[in-house]
Amino acid sequence: MLMPFLDLKAQFASIRQEVLDAVTRTLEAQQFILGPEVTAFENEISALTGCAYSIACASGSDALILALLALGIGAGDEVITTPFTFFASAGSIARVGAKPVFVDIDPQTFNISPGAIQCAITPRTKAIMPVHLFGLSADMNPILELASAQCIPVIEDAAQAIGARYRGRPAGSLGLIGCFSFFPSKNLGAAGDAGIITTNDAALADRLRLLHVHGARDKYVYELLGMNSRLDAMQAAILRVKLRYLDKWAAARQHNADRYRQLFSEFHLKARVRLPAAPPLCTHVYNQFTIRSSDRDNLREHLLTRGLPSEIYYPIALHLQKAFAYLGHKQGDFPASEAASREVLSLPIYPELTEAQQHSVVAAIADFHPE
Ligand SMILES: *Cc1c(COP(=O)(O)O)cnc(C)c1O
């Protein structure tokens, strides 16, 4: 391979001493579960998102599950989300015993189509969970209007969108609850699994704080049936180092996206592949730079023979996954999501990517499409 799909080793090399100092500091403190590092990290995420409360937990998937539990969502309830996303969005809904109700995507943005949500609402709808896929916020205003008119809470799956903005407001601060993941491949990645939940609602924050420590307010006194989903101090200490670079890394991703657009135009490829949408009122943080091709699988093969990596997020829409077969969906139920799963291809977009590397990616795509 001429380059990795994501170069975490290059990222580590650029912050090596600071990370090692944070790890050493944590080892010397010998306090590994919650504690001051975690509290400091939560405060920094509150400052970043403008949310009053942040509750760190063990993963982005747990953040979604805790959010649903805090809202009392379970058996007999329905939660609306998109079928074109990572498994955990709908998986968390099913895991708490509720039913994922899918609504198709807007083919331009890959995000849930706000206009199609109303038809999916029933008396059992207990939340709407838009996903800010690939680092681009869903079109939140129509979703929030619809939800508030019917008193339905909105849980944002902002796992891929830390630092993204919608009409100037941070992703994860728009709905009632925001859920973030710090899986290593996200824009802010831990050295393992990690996640956080944000909200401005004091009562919800209080429930979330209990739920992630087995439901205990005081030691060995349990008010709720919670779970063990805490952030390790080691992860918090490392994440605090990386958080200082988040804006710089997002700017580098945006710069690389602009350069791809320029190169695709120079190679006259704009009629051959579709480039990601960049709606004017959104700040895209490009966790992925995802193009569409009608001959995606052969294009990917062609890139591989040239030593160029790419990834398919996501090859099978969730309504067609075996794990969700019990929902009774079939091919054709969500055509825009199914088309996306056949056509999408994500290209390397990580901050350390060079212009020469991007040039080789686009040149290889160009010779797959001879004039
Ligand atoms: C990564 C991701 C999650 C889950 O996060 P984990 O930390 O891996 O559990 C949830 N939703 C989306 C859209 C994601 O990309």
Side-chain angles (χ1 to χ4, degrees):
M1 283 287 170
L2 295 178
M3 70 196 79
F5 181 73
L6 169 65
D7 199 347
L8 289 175
K9 288 182 180 167
Q11 185 194 66
F12 178 59
S14 73
I15 54 172
R16 184 187 165 85
Q17 198 52 54
E18 286 169 275
V19 172
L20 293 180
D21 291 347
V23 168
T24 305
R25 182 176 79 226
T26 311
L27 285 171
E28 278 165 357
Q30 287 287 310
Q31 173 164 13
F32 297 118
I33 307 292
L34 298 177
E37 289 286 353
V38 173
T39 303
F41 178 63
E42 289 175 336
N43 292 338
E44 288 163 8
I45 292 294
S46 291
L48 179 83
T49 57
C51 286
Y53 308 99
S54 297
I55 299 93
C57 63
S59 70
S61 303
D62 277 6
L64 294 168
I65 289 172
L66 287 161
L68 292 160
L69 291 177
L71 290 170
I73 293 170
D77 297 333
E78 296 177 356
V79 178
I80 292 172
T81 193
T82 153
F84 190 64
T85 175
F86 178 63
F87 174 80
S89 313
S92 64
I93 297 165
R95 182 61 19 245
V96 301
K99 178 183 173 188
V101 173
F102 294 120
V103 164
D104 210 355
I105 55 167
D106 169 352
Q108 303 300 323
T109 63
F110 301 118
N111 284 324
I112 195 166
S113 171
I117 293 176
Q118 181 61 54
C119 299
I121 294 177
T122 77
R124 282 197 278 270
T125 306
K126 291 292 149 58
I128 302 172
M129 184 192 287
V131 180
H132 307 311
L133 204 68
F134 304 147
L136 175 68
S137 170
D139 188 9
M140 291 298 287
N141 271 3
I143 297 173
L144 294 169
E145 276 165 31
L146 200 121
S148 82
Q150 295 169 75
C151 296
I152 302 171
V154 172
I155 301 171
E156 296 173 70
D157 181 344
Q160 301 182 7
I162 191 156
R165 285 175 180 266
Y166 175 78
R167 293 174 178 264
R169 296 163 63 199
S173 73
L174 300 145
L176 182 60
I177 307 185
C179 298
F180 294 91
S181 163
F182 306 115
F183 183 81
S185 67
K186 311 291 173 163
N187 283 18
L188 178 61
D193 279 309
I196 207 163
I197 310 151
T198 53
T199 185
N200 281 309
D201 185 304
L204 261 179
D206 184 59
R207 286 175 70 80
L208 287 162
R209 280 240 172 266
L210 299 192
L211 285 168
H212 87 135
V213 290
H214 303 287
R217 187 177 303 280
D218 300 311
K219 245 185 180 179
Y220 309 121
V221 182
Y222 305 95
E223 287 185 23
L224 298 168
L225 290 174
M227 53 200 264
N228 171 6
S229 184
R230 300 168 297 216
L231 185 66
D232 295 343
M234 191 73 83
Q235 296 301 346
I238 294 170
L239 284 164
R240 291 182 68 204
V241 171
K242 295 177 83 169
L243 187 56
R244 299 202 283 268
Y245 296 91
L246 183 64
D247 285 348
K248 185 182 143 199
W249 289 336
R253 285 172 180 270
Q254 287 155 352
H255 178 73
N256 292 346
D258 290 344
R259 210 151 56 184
Y260 267 136
R261 291 182 196 282
Q262 174 78 31
L263 286 164
F264 275 102
S265 144
E266 282 168 18
F267 279 89
H268 307 289
L269 280 168
K270 288 196 153 173
R272 309 295 184 126
V273 297
R274 201 149 18 124
L275 300 184
L281 295 169
C282 296
T283 305
H284 199 322
V285 289
Y286 294 101
N287 181 240
Q288 300 299 339
F289 186 89
T290 303
I291 65 169
R292 294 179 74 139
S293 161
S294 54
D295 197 10
R296 188 267 319 271
D297 292 337
N298 288 322
L299 173 57
R300 180 163 198 239
E301 225 17 73
H302 172 83
L303 292 176
L304 269 179
T305 63
R306 303 292 172 93
L308 298 166
S310 62
E311 294 289 344
I312 298 171
Y313 303 116
Y314 296 91
I316 305 171
L318 295 185
H319 66 289
L320 300 176
Q321 296 282 356
K322 189 174 169 195
F324 290 120
Y326 71 94
L327 293 171
H329 290 297
K330 58 183 187 315
Q331 196 89 37
D333 282 359
F334 303 103
S337 296
E338 292 165 26
S341 67
R342 285 191 300 271
E343 296 178 3
V344 287
L345 191 66
S346 296
L347 305 178
I349 188 73
Y350 57 86
E352 300 80 7
L353 193 67
T354 66
E355 179 163 14
Q357 288 170 323
Q358 288 190 277
H359 191 277
S360 60
V361 171
V362 180
I365 295 173
D367 58 45
F368 178 73
H369 294 283
E371 297 263 356

